[in-house]
Amino acid sequence: MKTFPDVAIPMLRHARKHRSIALCTTEMVGEFARLTTQAVRDGNQPVVQSHLKFMSGLLRVADEKTREYIDVYYVEVLFFGLTHKQKKTAWPWMPANLKQLYVAMWGGA
């Protein structure tokens, strides 16, 4: 999985903790979702959009297993703990394919 500079350190911590990249993939994807959510909380639109664009592009070419990881470990936890106003602000930034997964799980922003 490609990383961004702001997620590389947390991902490496997870890899060290589990002594394997393979064992911590779900945690890495979850960490990426948490950092996307934090960027929304911080009002950092460029970071949010870069994260969402990356995951949307990955989803477009994903095999079934990767699609499942994106759905369950990224989209399902994305925006957790945000206020309604923060979610409403970020919703237009979300690409359609990620919105589709989010709506399937949560019914909308």
Side-chain angles (χ1 to χ4, degrees):
M1 178 174 169
K2 294 180 183 177
T3 62
F4 287 89
D6 61 334
V7 297
I9 292 171
M11 287 181 168
L12 289 173
R13 280 189 201 127
H14 285 298
R16 272 190 245 118
K17 176 181 173 185
H18 295 283
R19 299 176 192 239
S20 169
I21 291 289
L23 294 175
C24 64
T25 304
T26 57
E27 288 188 39
M28 285 190 209
V29 176
E31 180 67 10
F32 193 65
R34 188 191 69 74
L35 291 167
T36 304
T37 301
Q38 185 60 49
V40 172
R41 193 174 286 113
D42 295 342
N44 194 335
Q45 182 178 353
V47 168
V48 174
Q49 289 180 308
S50 70
H51 286 200
L52 294 173
K53 182 180 177 183
F54 171 76
M55 293 306 283
S56 174
L58 186 58
L59 183 60
R60 277 194 288 279
V61 298
D63 60 19
E64 191 171 329
K65 190 63 163 174
T66 304
R67 182 178 174 79
E68 179 184 341
Y69 274 45
I70 293 169
D71 185 15
V72 175
Y73 300 104
Y74 185 76
V75 175
E76 285 188 14
V77 299
L78 192 63
F79 301 163
F80 182 77
L82 294 180
T83 66
H84 178 71
K85 182 179 177 181
Q86 289 167 324
K87 290 178 186 179
K88 190 174 177 180
T89 297
W91 188 249
W93 306 336
M94 186 112 97
N97 60 351
L98 295 177
K99 277 183 181 177
Q100 185 179 15
L101 294 175
Y102 194 92
V103 168
M105 179 62 193
W106 299 111

